[in-house]
Amino acid sequence: MKVVPLLKRIWPLMPVLASLAFILALLLIFGADPATAFQALWQGAFGSRDRLLGTLAFWIPLALCAIGLMLTFTAGLWNIGVEGQLILGSIGASWVALNLKGQPAWVLIPLELLAAMAAGALWAALSALLKTRGKVHEIFSGLALTNLAIILTNYLISGPWQPPEGGSFRGTQPFQEAALLPRLFDSRFSPLSLVLMSIALVIVAVLLGNTTWGLKLKALGRNSRSAFLLGVSSEREAVIAMMACGALAGLGGAVRVLSWFDSLRQSISGGIGFLALLVVMLSAYRMFWVPFVAFFFSAVLQGSITLQLRTQLHSSLGGILTGVLVLLTLLFGDYNHLRRLRKESRPDE
Amino acid sequence: MHIELRDIRKTFGDVRANDGISLAFEPGRIYGLLGENGAGKSTLMKILAGYQPADSGRILLNGQPAHFATPADALRRGVGMVYQDPLDFPPFTVLENYLLGRDRAVNLDFRQAAAELRAILDRYGFAVDMDAAIGSLSLGERQQLELVRLLAGGAQALILDEPTTGISASQKDALFATMRRMAAEEGKSIILVSHKLEEIQELCGHAFVLRKGQLVGETALPCPNRALVEMMFGQVPERTPRPPAAVEQPLLEISGLGVRTQRLTVGDINLSIRRGEVFGLAGLEGSGQALLMKAVAGLLPAASGRIALDGLDITHLDYHQTRAAGVAYVAAGRLEEGLIAGLSLTEHILLAAPRRDQTFFIRWGAARETTSGRIALCEVVGVPDSTAEQLSGGNQQRMLYAMLNEGLRLILLDQPTRGLDVRSADYIWELLYARRREGTAILFYSPDLDEIIERSDRIAVFSGGVMSRIVEAARTTADELGHLIGGQQ
């Protein structure tokens, strides 16, 4: 009987160990030296000041999306459209940056951020209303709206917002310096974005843990029928949760155009919205773990770029590692949950 | 088959559900297993049926020790159980449901299965359409199918958990006749889990009584009811006398109300319920009582007519608006409609509070205190931080009452004491009577005619969507109501 508590304690490590073993096997198959590979990965993520700042810069929008998703996941909503909401945020921020000329940074930046949050929230509201009014599942509307967002980006880049020297499908012309977020040491990392992300983290954590609204979301996510009977308005709360998530994703989109890049680009999101879904799942839907897991993802993905340069292995190895880790985590699940499934029972009447 | 249970123990957290129970069942006999809510009956039977393992103790079948990992395992050894809620598959037809889990071939042999199923149905006198969808059957018919599934699986011992809840009187008689035949002609052991003394007396030859997880007595049947009650409760509980009749002041006025759903249309209901009145609705499940209550609660739209509460027209208010107007609706399902698995009792109380009492930030300390008071009042065995699914069925039911707010004008109850033993049910009614003294009216449906007659001031009977004349509870009998249920005026 002593095995069980021990197993329980090390259970969360199982998927980590298993995915490391999987990657190890993959490296050996391709004839790479695992030690070199992992060292390159580490170097790539944290090896120098610039690399560390790069990892931080990639982390911020990812964490913002994941924090927003905590709201929708808690309410039982599969907000797959977070990717599109992030892209719309980029477009919103770009619109302000390109159209308000000659304004100082302290006017431009708040307006850009607000426009980004509004655009993301609007895109999410479409998904939410399609669900509550049109009975369209948010997964399908989210995917469709994400595609529309990509098409809209391409249209803007090649059409109305193309650089004066002609459209190249690559991006708009770089924004005016005053429109960009102030960055540290010429890197892509903006300390202001870290501050905003931290504020978002605290606000969402408090909302979920200590407010009646957060409790309502939790109730909806677990049993919407009972929640309705207890007086929770499912439509209202679902729309608000989706819009709040969209606003945070939109803020992430603004960070992408205003500090990671300096213009609206073709693949502006870098898949961050979809990655954020994985981050939240790997965090077991716990707020505490979200920033750490997002940071881990960012480090692995940044590190694998160096991995490619050093070992000739493709940089998608980082993607494989995170993907396998999420799959295995979902597969192994929560030990207590698995046990419950086995013995779903109570002392009965 | 001879079944022996030796020193079965099972704990859930701090609760000793089974505390060293030893008993034996002989073939060809019908046993009753009695006990109040939480006595450990269902736990013990679920252990015997392989649904959950015991912490310790042994099961002997014909003297051989047996270990069941799953219910299917138990059925292979000849032990089958019919649960309170059937474990069938509503979208399937009867035949498909029968095949499910029996035939593992890729190409299913429907013809042979149909023949097998027909043979079993005929042998036990069950009349079920094999092509009907499970979802369209009554609870009684679905129960018969569960029995068929177990019999086809070779069950030698059958356990039935509260089999007569929610089925009609004629279905009950048919079920009892079948059980007698199975015991007498085929030598099967049958165990009936129930807290309805009349049924146990009527059907069983021997009764075991559990209390607080222990076997406290056994007796041959029939015997005086009083002796069984004493064993179940340790003493004979006093019934609360019903407080005097209602104040003559109309509260809920329904005129010409019609409700339509896909399955049933209820037409032209006229009803006036007085302040402080307890009004009972009788009838078979699905005869329209639930539709009436849902229409009043704002859960279903009224197709015609008018509903007024205290003079206020609430016909077209939605559920949340009706709720704000002082109407509470308590549904029959506990963890499906009312409680939320994974949320603590405190969180339930917070959610159920009227909107004006809900603050933006939750004051956890105060909320826990309120919850402690409420659950103490309603005798919920649990702490404010317990989650809903950790409560036993009876305590979940009591929790639904703990969530009722102050100052309600009307309480709508769908099967208010479903699955509760006599004493718990009596206590729930005591709480409801206290509300009634404040002027709250109560409109309820129960499948138990005795409960309706005993608890109501006035009664209306539903039959196929039609409401009968209204009868005074003090001047009616179960027999009269039975006729009305059958559609005779």
Side-chain angles (χ1 to χ4, degrees):
Chain A
M1 281 293 125
K2 276 205 178 131
V3 165
V4 172
L6 182 70
L7 198 61
K8 221 160 149 178
R9 192 154 305 163
I10 63 162
W11 195 261
L13 289 176
M14 296 293 275
V16 178
L17 295 176
S19 47
L20 280 177
F22 179 85
I23 293 295
L24 207 62
L26 212 61
L27 288 172
L28 291 173
I29 289 170
F30 287 100
D33 174 25
T36 320
F38 280 110
Q39 201 192 4
L41 205 64
W42 179 265
Q43 290 283 324
F46 309 112
S48 69
R49 190 186 73 189
D50 287 348
R51 289 202 174 115
L52 176 63
L53 289 175
T55 300
L56 285 171
F58 192 82
W59 171 50
I60 302 287
L62 179 61
L64 277 167
C65 288
I67 291 165
L69 283 171
M70 279 300 293
L71 290 169
T72 47
F73 269 119
T74 303
L77 296 162
W78 285 86
N79 187 16
I80 303 288
V82 66
E83 174 89 359
Q85 291 147 24
L86 175 122
I87 295 173
L88 254 282
S90 302
I91 293 175
S94 304
W95 180 73
V96 173
L98 289 169
N99 287 294
L100 278 185
K101 297 268 159 64
Q103 299 291 332
W106 62 267
V107 173
L108 274 173
I109 290 172
L111 284 177
E112 284 165 343
L113 298 182
L114 282 178
M117 290 174 74
L122 182 83
W123 217 240
L126 281 179
S127 249
L129 289 175
L130 278 168
K131 181 189 175 76
T132 55
R133 293 291 160 93
K135 306 279 174 225
V136 179
H137 197 282
E138 67 274 12
I139 289 183
F140 304 119
S141 64
L143 284 174
L145 286 168
T146 298
N147 265 338
L148 279 179
I150 293 170
I151 292 167
L152 180 62
T153 313
N154 289 344
Y155 162 74
L156 289 171
I157 291 170
S158 61
W161 291 357
Q162 61 173 275
E165 65 271 17
S168 62
F169 259 113
R170 297 219 24 222
T172 62
Q173 67 187 105
F175 302 148
Q176 43 189 323
E177 186 56 38
L180 300 178
L181 296 177
R183 282 145 297 164
L184 205 60
F185 305 120
D186 233 9
S187 72
R188 293 169 150 184
F189 171 67
S190 149
L192 176 63
S193 67
L194 177 61
V195 172
L196 291 175
M197 190 270 274
S198 310
I199 293 173
L201 180 76
V202 171
I203 290 180
V204 173
V206 169
L207 277 176
L208 286 179
N210 284 304
T211 67
T212 306
W213 186 63
L215 179 58
K216 286 179 177 175
L217 292 190
K218 201 167 145 190
L220 274 179
R222 286 172 182 269
N223 182 341
S224 59
R225 177 74 188 157
S226 286
F228 175 80
L229 287 174
L230 287 178
V232 180
S233 161
S234 45
E235 180 169 344
R236 201 185 99 152
E237 313 309 349
V239 172
I240 298 177
M242 286 287 275
M243 288 183 70
C245 177
L248 289 176
L251 193 58
V255 174
R256 287 292 285 180
V257 281
L258 302 176
S259 85
W260 183 265
F261 296 118
D262 54 1
S263 53
L264 184 63
R265 302 288 181 89
Q266 202 183 6
S267 41
I268 188 70
S269 76
I272 280 179
F274 293 129
L275 280 174
L277 290 160
L278 299 185
V279 167
V280 178
M281 289 180 207
L282 195 56
S283 309
Y285 310 99
R286 305 261 160 137
M287 199 60 182
F288 178 81
W289 292 107
V290 164
F292 298 105
V293 173
F295 189 78
F296 170 75
F297 268 51
S298 176
V300 170
L301 294 171
Q302 290 304 300
S304 48
I305 296 168
T306 307
L307 183 70
Q308 178 168 15
L309 297 175
R310 291 252 186 103
T311 61
Q312 312 306 317
L313 286 166
H314 196 265
S315 68
S316 56
L317 195 71
I320 295 175
L321 175 63
T322 50
V324 168
L325 186 57
V326 171
L327 278 180
L328 288 170
T329 306
L330 295 180
L331 183 69
F332 281 77
D334 172 6
Y335 179 80
N336 287 317
H337 180 62
L338 288 182
R339 248 172 74 92
R340 265 202 302 282
L341 285 183
R342 176 74 188 83
K343 322 198 271 181
E344 194 91 308
S345 47
R346 299 177 290 275
D348 214 339
E349 61 253 54
Chain B
M1 186 165 53
H2 180 93
I3 302 171
E4 197 180 340
L5 298 173
R6 275 199 201 153
D7 199 28
I8 300 287
R9 285 173 198 275
K10 177 86 182 169
T11 57
F12 294 96
D14 296 334
V15 183
R16 284 191 198 158
N18 284 175
D19 194 8
I21 299 179
S22 302
L23 40 80
F25 303 103
E26 303 291 336
R29 301 189 62 178
I30 305 180
Y31 293 89
L33 188 61
L34 277 162
E36 62 179 321
N37 296 131
K41 311 183 294 281
S42 292
T43 303
L44 184 66
M45 288 301 108
K46 282 177 178 171
I47 289 169
L48 177 55
Y51 187 85
Q52 62 193 11
D55 294 342
S56 68
R58 298 212 292 167
I59 301 173
L60 301 172
L61 301 181
N62 290 334
Q64 298 297 312
H67 298 279
F68 306 139
T70 63
D73 222 13
L75 186 55
R76 271 193 290 278
R77 299 288 305 269
V79 181
M81 176 161 173
V82 178
Y83 297 90
Q84 238 170 323
D85 304 302
L87 301 176
D88 51 18
F89 215 65
F92 277 22
T93 66
V94 170
L95 185 57
E96 285 166 341
N97 189 69
Y98 172 77
L99 268 170
L100 183 72
R102 282 190 58 73
D103 194 339
R104 282 161 196 273
V106 175
N107 196 358
L108 298 173
D109 189 347
F110 279 91
R111 197 172 305 164
Q112 200 210 326
E116 271 175 40
L117 181 56
R118 170 61 47 211
I120 301 174
L121 289 174
D122 287 347
R123 189 160 92 212
Y124 296 104
F126 295 148
V128 181
D129 176 7
M130 284 197 280
D131 297 320
I134 298 281
S136 71
L137 300 181
S138 71
L139 194 60
E141 288 171 315
R142 288 167 68 176
Q143 219 169 48
Q144 292 180 352
L145 289 179
E146 285 281 290
L147 268 178
V148 166
R149 191 178 62 80
L150 299 176
L151 292 167
Q156 289 304 308
L158 286 165
I159 305 161
L160 294 97
D161 191 2
E162 306 278 358
T164 59
T165 308
I167 69 173
S168 69
S170 60
Q171 281 174 330
K172 189 193 96 176
D173 292 341
L175 180 71
F176 281 12
T178 310
M179 289 202 275
R180 286 195 191 94
R181 268 183 54 200
M182 288 192 294
E185 295 171 17
E186 299 172 16
K188 298 197 192 299
S189 324
I190 293 174
I191 307 166
L192 182 73
V193 181
S194 180
H195 53 250
K196 292 184 192 153
L197 298 181
E198 291 75 16
E199 289 175 9
I200 299 268
Q201 296 273 20
E202 181 187 338
L203 185 69
C204 306
H206 196 91
F208 292 108
V209 182
L210 300 186
R211 190 167 75 222
K212 291 182 178 153
Q214 292 175 328
L215 182 69
V216 291
E218 57 183 291
T219 173
L221 294 177
C223 76
N225 265 346
R226 204 179 165 79
L228 288 177
V229 171
E230 263 174 38
M231 275 193 261
M232 279 170 73
F233 298 104
Q235 85 272 10
V236 181
E238 290 291 317
R239 281 279 169 108
T240 340
R242 205 149 52 89
V247 192
E248 292 285 330
Q249 200 177 6
L251 174 80
L252 180 73
E253 284 169 287
I254 302 171
S255 47
L257 177 71
V259 191
R260 257 180 234 128
T261 65
Q262 279 183 326
R263 287 180 63 177
L264 186 69
T265 302
V266 176
D268 199 31
I269 292 179
N270 295 288
L271 194 61
S272 173
I273 294 176
R274 297 184 282 253
R275 203 175 291 279
E277 182 173 32
V278 179
F279 198 99
L281 300 174
L284 297 182
E285 219 171 334
S287 301
Q289 323 80 328
L291 297 190
L292 169 64
M293 288 200 288
K294 284 184 173 170
V296 173
L299 287 164
L300 279 177
S304 59
R306 185 170 184 273
I307 308 169
L309 182 75
D310 248 350
L312 174 76
D313 187 347
I314 60 164
T315 320
H316 299 293
L317 297 189
D318 68 25
Y319 171 71
H320 289 135
Q321 291 165 330
T322 313
R323 204 167 167 269
V327 177
Y329 172 77
V330 181
R334 296 158 186 155
L335 280 176
E336 303 82 42
E337 297 180 301
L339 300 181
I340 299 168
L343 254 56
S344 73
L345 303 188
T346 307
E347 290 175 315
H348 279 86
I349 296 286
L350 280 166
L351 283 169
R355 192 149 290 174
R356 61 173 183 281
D357 291 352
Q358 289 180 345
T359 51
F360 182 78
F361 288 105
I362 294 172
R363 298 191 197 102
W364 286 110
R368 279 201 189 90
E369 222 163 275
T370 311
T371 308
S372 291
R374 295 271 198 103
I375 63 180
L377 178 70
C378 293
E379 294 191 337
V380 177
V381 181
V383 293
D385 289 333
S386 314
T387 54
E389 78 280 7
Q390 286 173 342
L391 301 181
S392 76
N395 280 316
Q396 287 174 7
Q397 190 81 16
R398 281 185 276 260
M399 185 61 202
L400 290 177
Y401 293 97
M403 291 193 299
L404 291 178
N405 293 310
E406 294 299 313
L408 294 171
R409 293 203 260 194
L410 174 67
I411 304 178
L412 304 163
L413 303 164
D414 190 353
Q415 306 184 33
T417 57
R418 191 176 80 143
L420 293 185
D421 62 67
V422 188
R423 195 164 60 172
S424 306
D426 203 48
Y427 189 72
I428 292 292
W429 277 107
E430 235 175 273
L431 293 173
L432 290 171
Y433 288 148
R435 298 269 181 169
R436 154 206 178 111
R437 278 191 287 276
E438 297 159 9
T440 310
I442 292 162
L443 179 63
F444 79 103
Y445 160 66
S446 168
D448 181 354
L449 289 183
D450 293 332
E451 179 177 36
I452 293 186
I453 293 172
E454 188 185 339
R455 304 299 182 181
S456 317
D457 298 312
R458 292 186 300 157
I459 300 166
V461 179
F462 275 78
S463 175
V466 178
M467 194 180 89
S468 74
R469 63 193 154 85
I470 294 166
V471 298
E472 295 284 332
R475 276 181 237 124
T476 192
T477 58
D479 201 43
E480 186 190 9
L481 294 184
H483 283 286
L484 290 171
I485 287 172
Q488 303 160 325
Q489 285 296 317

